[in-house]
């Protein structure tokens, strides 16, 4: 589904530069469940932003199916982003003035889905993440775990091929984080490709594949059976 070849990402800050990704080459097959790990500042979020076409690359090639992303105009990139990707962030990022139901319906309105269909699909998704009884709650009336489940339902609203989750359990207590992991794994079993950043080695081991970044460089991939050294993965 995805092929990246020698991707570089550089941030220019006046006279200094940060090379956040260095010659990263990566393939992702449909249906995979991938964990991205590595120390703080190693480029994990940068890689997620580039995968999700939220940010541009400095050099290299990014193929999504038959598209070479960086050669496309912005409008086309946005269309591909909305059609292919769902995003989940550590900080939930729900709209505070919208109910759970409205938050899940919103991306479908951008995609031009009729109101009745938006509503029925949002209800179905909220049911699937166990929030059938919280449809009309505002984010401030929900726990962190509930808010993250709304965010998952929202990320799935336009039937993405791939979910990009950047530390989705980072702000949650262990038991609530476990619920989020199980929901992501349920959707992966239904065929959605999942790429997740995590600092938690036990979570990483549950993925089919672990991508290890160190200082912007992709290390040899670990299989989930390899023992993971905590000091390699710690958050600083
Ligand atoms: N917008 C930006 N402008 C300049 N430098 C940036 C920008 N975003 C990230 N960086 C730098 O790029 C490097 C990679 O950052 P990134 O956010 O990808 O790290 P990360 O692996 O996600 O870290 P964390 O685990 O702390 O979230 C860091 O050195 C960071 O300071
Ligand atoms: Mg990050």
């Amino acid at each position: 589904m995805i092929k990246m070849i020698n991707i570089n990402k550089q941030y220019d800050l006046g006279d200094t530069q940060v090379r956040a990704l260095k010659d990263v080459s990566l393939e992702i097959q449909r249906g995979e469940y991938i964990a991205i790990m590595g120390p703080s500042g190693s480029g994990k979020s940068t890689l997620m932003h580039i995968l999700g076409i939220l940010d541009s690359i400095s050099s290299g090639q990014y193929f999504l199916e038959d598209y070479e992303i960086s050669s496309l105009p912005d409008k086309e990139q946005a269309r591909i982003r909305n059609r292919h990707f769902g995003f989940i962030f550590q900080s939930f990022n729900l709209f505070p003035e919208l109910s759970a139901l409205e938050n899940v319906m919103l991306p479908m309105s951008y995609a031009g889905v009729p109101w009745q269909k938006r509503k029925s699909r949002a209800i179905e998704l909220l049911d699937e993440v166990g929030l059938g009884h919280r449809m009309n709650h505002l984010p401030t009336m929900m726990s962190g775990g509930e808010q993250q489940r709304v965010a998952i339902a929202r990320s799935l609203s336009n039937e993405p091929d791939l979910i990009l989750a950047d530390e989705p359990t980072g702000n949650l207590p262990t038991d609530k984080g476990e619920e989020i992991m199980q929901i992501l794994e349920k959707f992966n079993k239904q065929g959605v490709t999942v790429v997740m950043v995590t600092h938690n080695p036990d979570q990483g081991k549950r993925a089919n594949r672990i991508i290890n970044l160190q200082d912007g460089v992709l290390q040899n991939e670990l299989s989930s059976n390899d023992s993971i050294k905590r000091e390699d993965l710690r958050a600083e």
Side-chain angles (χ1 to χ4, degrees), residues 11 13 18 20 38-46 167 199:
Y11 294 106
L13 304 165
V18 179
S40 181
S42 59
K44 303 180 299 296
S45 294
T46 303
E167 297 190 54
H199 282 290

Side-chain angles (χ1 to χ4, degrees), residues 4-231:
M4 291 185 150
I5 304 168
N6 291 334
I7 297 277
N8 286 281
K9 176 66 185 180
Q10 184 167 315
Y11 294 106
D12 292 311
L13 304 165
D15 45 5
T16 59
Q17 293 164 339
V18 179
R19 289 189 66 198
L21 294 176
K22 301 170 189 161
D23 284 325
V24 169
S25 296
L26 174 65
E27 281 188 45
I28 298 176
Q29 315 296 333
R30 197 171 283 280
E32 279 197 287
Y33 173 21
I34 296 176
I36 299 182
M37 305 193 75
S40 181
S42 59
K44 303 180 299 296
S45 294
T46 303
L47 179 58
M48 295 292 268
H49 290 155
I50 285 174
L51 275 168
I53 327 182
L54 291 167
D55 205 351
S56 61
I57 57 179
S58 304
S59 67
Q61 286 176 302
Y62 175 10
F63 296 96
L64 175 70
E65 289 169 345
D66 294 331
Y67 303 105
E68 211 278 88
I69 298 297
S70 47
S71 69
L72 299 173
D74 288 353
K75 213 172 155 188
E76 186 70 0
Q77 291 189 9
R79 196 184 63 80
I80 292 173
R81 177 169 61 238
N82 291 334
R83 206 178 59 192
H84 289 272
F85 297 104
F87 297 94
I88 302 168
F89 304 96
Q90 182 175 356
S91 51
F92 323 136
N93 290 14
L94 299 175
F95 284 99
E97 71 280 15
L98 298 183
S99 70
L101 185 66
E102 290 164 340
N103 264 288
V104 179
M105 287 172 71
L106 192 65
M108 292 185 271
S109 67
Y110 297 144
V113 178
W115 187 84
Q116 201 47 255
K117 172 104 192 290
R118 293 203 308 261
K119 188 167 178 191
S120 59
R121 174 143 176 88
I123 290 172
E124 191 184 306
L125 283 166
L126 284 166
D127 271 331
E128 278 210 65
V129 298
L131 289 177
H133 60 310
R134 291 285 183 269
M135 305 266 183
N136 297 315
H137 276 56
L138 294 172
T140 49
M141 301 168 179
M142 285 184 279
S143 71
E146 287 172 341
Q147 290 182 57
Q148 194 61 303
R149 282 186 277 154
V150 175
I152 293 178
R154 180 182 59 179
S155 78
L156 287 156
S157 59
N158 283 326
E159 303 181 313
D161 301 312
L162 199 158
I163 291 185
L164 295 168
D166 197 346
E167 297 190 54
T169 69
N171 279 335
L172 298 174
T174 313
D175 56 330
K176 300 299 167 194
E178 177 57 28
E179 282 176 21
I180 297 301
M181 291 292 290
Q182 287 181 12
I183 291 170
L184 287 173
E185 287 165 6
K186 177 175 89 171
F187 287 112
N188 175 248
K189 288 204 177 73
Q190 293 173 15
V192 183
T193 311
V194 174
V195 179
M196 172 187 68
V197 172
T198 179
H199 282 290
N200 180 330
D202 294 326
Q203 288 185 356
K205 277 190 256 181
R206 290 161 69 155
N208 311 130
R209 185 144 77 95
I210 298 171
I211 288 172
N212 183 13
L213 275 173
Q214 299 284 330
D215 197 19
V217 179
L218 200 97
Q219 306 298 304
N220 285 342
E221 285 190 17
L222 302 169
S223 92
S224 38
N225 297 325
D226 292 338
S227 63
I228 302 170
K229 282 191 289 174
R230 274 172 196 270
E231 61 269 30

